[in-house]
Amino acid sequence: MNIRIYTTCFLVFFGIFAQAQQVLTTDEAVKLALEYNYGIKIANNTVEVADNNTGILNSGYLPTLTGNAGATIDVQNTEGQLANGEIRIAEGAETRRYNASINLNYTLFDGLGRLYNYKRLKEEYQLSDLEARETIETTMLQLFSVYYTVAQLTENTDVLIETLIISKDRLTRAGYQFDYGQSTKLAVLNAEVDINNDSINLINTKQQLKNTKRDLNVVLGNQILEDYRVVTNLSFLLQLNKEDLLLKTKSNNVSLLQAEKNINISQFDIKTNKAQFLPTIGLVGSYGWNESSNNSPLAFVLQNTNSGVSAGLNLTWSLFDGGSTLTRVRNAEIGLENQKLQKEQLLLDVERNFNNAWDDYQNKLVIYQVQENNIKTSQNNFERTQEKFKIGQVTSIEFRQAQLNLLKTELSRNQSKYDAKLAELSLLQLSGELLNTEF
């Protein structure tokens, strides 16, 4: 059977088998990761905690209301002398006391400390939201890295299968030539060695593919329960503009946005500490009920009950606390200055990383195009060598070398293809556009 027909039939059969497998697209992988990835789940829970902290129940603007109640029983032996000299003795005299009260405390003014603390909590919530976004971006980059590794290994497997088919056909041809005395046993042995090597490469690649699929399933929260294939066709965002992307990086990079939130938090820390220089005015109120009873013959009042409402204002002003508040204010101001310096340093790092990522992306695109051209050259060279090998104009060694050159070129093309795509994704992550791009 002609080698081209044999290869085509095998690949058709392999394609039918592949269609029976579940196909996991990038969109489906992203949806599964966003819903089931454990790191993203933890990040979302952290954001929910920060959201709870910004609620009215944690603002300090609501009053506190406490209830108190108590009961005591006192049993005593008492001896007393009346004014007329009579002595009376009360054994086991029992006294009962009951009380209950509701107390209200409300801070009317605390130097605006509550206001600044509430605003600080709002900034912390937004910072937690940015941290969750950073976790999602990192997870998405990890997802695509593993996904495209699976795609690359899938294509490598297909290439190695085709290489093995060609090697088996060469062994068959060498066997026929040996039987008819047209070649030596050495050609048959060389063909067998090459088949063994191709088989080993295929086995190793298939195992790598299985392992990488398991890695991808972990990122997806173990939601893929059966074997699957991934999509190997991809496209590049060639319309990207460097200047526009750099502007987006400066305004939307998640690390820079986090640095800005840390600056805002430090500013509110200063204001909160300065609020302690001002007095605190509070409102207090209570409603109380008390009752006592005494069965002692010496008691003037056997039962007493009273209840009432009380209210008042109190003012607390720390005139001097040993300088601790002033120290906290000064330290908070230094912390703010450090946050600003860190942001400036981070901006330099981000710009450098962006330029490096842009150049890396452009270079890898060029390399991919060059590898695509190499495929055509290597394929043409292999087909010519194959035809000459069939009519005995080239040796088996020359044929094998052309085959290996084609294999190497195809594997290199696959590598450069996905390297370029991952470089593009890294660039989008730096610019803050990774989650805004459809794949």
Side-chain angles (χ1 to χ4, degrees):
M1 180 182 292
N2 184 275
I3 182 61
R4 186 179 300 278
I5 298 176
Y6 184 50
T7 302
T8 302
C9 291
F10 182 86
L11 292 179
V12 168
F13 170 78
F14 187 77
I16 294 174
F17 172 74
Q19 290 177 359
Q21 292 180 296
Q22 178 183 358
V23 178
L24 179 67
T25 66
T26 53
D27 289 340
E28 292 170 346
V30 168
K31 291 178 181 178
L32 289 173
L34 290 176
E35 185 173 0
Y36 297 105
N37 181 269
Y38 289 101
I40 293 178
K41 284 184 177 181
I42 293 172
N44 290 335
N45 287 338
T46 303
V47 174
E48 187 174 351
V49 170
D51 188 29
N52 292 336
N53 289 336
T54 61
I56 188 65
L57 298 178
N58 193 49
S59 64
Y61 280 102
L62 297 179
T64 60
L65 191 64
T66 59
N68 297 305
T72 59
I73 300 176
D74 186 14
V75 179
Q76 294 184 356
N77 296 325
T78 305
E79 179 179 322
Q81 183 176 1
L82 301 180
N84 59 5
E86 180 183 357
I87 296 176
R88 293 185 179 181
I89 298 175
E91 294 185 357
E94 186 178 277
T95 302
R96 296 175 179 267
R97 298 182 181 86
Y98 307 95
N99 66 84
S101 65
I102 297 177
N103 304 295
L104 172 73
N105 286 276
Y106 183 65
T107 301
L108 299 175
F109 178 76
D110 66 344
L112 299 179
R114 288 178 302 182
L115 175 63
Y116 297 136
N117 185 62
Y118 180 72
K119 291 182 177 181
R120 184 183 189 277
L121 291 174
K122 287 288 188 182
E123 294 292 334
E124 288 182 346
Y125 164 73
Q126 295 175 12
L127 178 60
S128 297
D129 197 41
L130 289 172
E131 290 171 347
R133 173 187 151 187
E134 183 179 30
T135 299
I136 294 173
E137 287 182 354
T138 303
T139 303
M140 289 299 102
L141 199 60
Q142 178 190 15
L143 167 67
F144 284 117
S145 177
V146 181
Y147 183 94
Y148 288 134
T149 300
V150 172
Q152 179 185 342
L153 289 172
T154 299
E155 291 192 314
N156 289 352
T157 301
D158 295 342
V159 170
L160 290 171
I161 289 174
E162 185 175 355
T163 300
L164 181 59
I165 293 173
I166 295 173
S167 296
K168 288 181 177 179
D169 179 77
R170 173 186 155 206
L171 175 61
T172 302
R173 186 178 298 277
Y176 289 152
Q177 290 175 345
F178 175 73
D179 292 339
Y180 289 101
Q182 296 177 356
S183 68
T184 64
K185 186 65 176 179
L186 181 61
V188 177
L189 295 176
N190 287 336
E192 289 177 349
V193 170
D194 292 338
I195 286 178
N196 291 335
N197 290 332
D198 293 342
S199 298
I200 292 172
N201 291 335
L202 179 59
I203 291 171
N204 289 333
T205 301
K206 284 184 174 181
Q207 186 58 51
Q208 291 177 12
L209 179 58
K210 290 181 179 179
N211 294 343
T212 310
K213 283 185 175 181
R214 295 189 186 103
D215 294 339
L216 179 58
N217 205 8
V218 169
V219 179
L220 301 179
N222 200 32
Q223 293 302 307
I224 306 296
L225 303 180
E226 57 187 62
D227 195 15
Y228 60 91
R229 286 179 64 87
V230 298
V231 178
T232 56
N233 295 327
L234 54 83
S235 59
F236 297 95
L237 303 176
L238 301 178
Q239 71 276 15
L240 293 177
N241 181 275
K242 182 178 181 180
E243 297 303 323
D244 292 341
L245 209 56
L246 180 58
L247 291 177
K248 290 181 179 179
T249 300
K250 292 180 179 180
S251 62
N252 203 34
N253 177 271
V254 68
S255 297
L256 291 175
L257 293 177
Q258 288 176 356
E260 186 64 33
K261 291 302 173 185
N262 284 324
I263 290 176
N264 295 341
I265 290 173
S266 296
Q267 290 174 338
F268 286 123
D269 283 339
I270 296 175
K271 294 179 179 180
T272 300
N273 286 314
K274 285 184 176 180
Q276 299 179 26
F277 289 126
L278 299 176
T280 299
I281 301 175
L283 171 67
V284 295
S286 67
Y287 171 80
W289 170 83
N290 295 275
E291 179 181 300
S292 64
S293 61
N294 193 336
N295 64 357
S296 172
L298 300 179
F300 291 100
V301 180
L302 298 182
Q303 183 170 346
N304 180 43
T305 302
N306 59 74
S307 62
V309 177
S310 65
L313 292 173
N314 57 46
L315 182 144
T316 303
W317 197 343
S318 177
L319 300 177
F320 182 70
D321 62 354
S324 59
T325 300
L326 181 61
T327 301
R328 287 193 296 270
V329 171
R330 290 175 177 174
N331 290 341
E333 290 174 344
I334 295 174
L336 174 61
E337 181 64 24
N338 285 339
Q339 292 292 345
K340 292 180 178 179
L341 292 174
Q342 288 176 7
K343 182 183 178 182
E344 293 178 3
Q345 178 64 46
L346 182 60
L347 181 60
L348 292 177
D349 292 339
V350 168
E351 288 185 4
R352 177 203 60 197
N353 294 339
F354 173 83
N355 288 321
N356 290 344
W358 177 266
D359 291 342
D360 182 58
Y361 175 49
Q362 298 300 318
N363 290 337
K364 287 180 176 177
L365 279 178
V366 173
I367 292 173
Y368 173 55
Q369 294 300 325
V370 171
Q371 293 290 359
E372 283 283 12
N373 294 331
N374 283 344
I375 287 288
K376 299 177 183 178
T377 303
S378 297
Q379 183 67 43
N380 185 38
N381 176 65
F382 173 73
E383 290 176 354
R384 290 176 178 234
T385 304
Q386 187 180 43
E387 293 299 325
K388 291 183 179 181
F389 175 70
K390 291 178 181 179
I391 59 178
Q393 292 184 354
V394 297
T395 65
S396 61
I397 295 177
E398 292 173 322
F399 174 78
R400 178 62 176 177
Q401 187 60 49
Q403 183 187 19
L404 291 178
N405 289 339
L406 177 60
L407 173 63
K408 180 180 178 181
T409 303
E410 289 177 327
L411 296 181
S412 297
R413 186 273 311 273
N414 294 342
Q415 179 73 45
S416 62
K417 173 183 176 181
Y418 295 106
D419 283 348
K421 189 61 180 179
L422 291 176
E424 179 184 86
L425 295 175
S426 298
L427 183 63
L428 292 174
Q429 182 191 24
L430 273 173
S431 64
E433 291 295 306
L434 180 61
L435 303 181
N436 301 326
T437 305
E438 294 184 1
F439 300 96

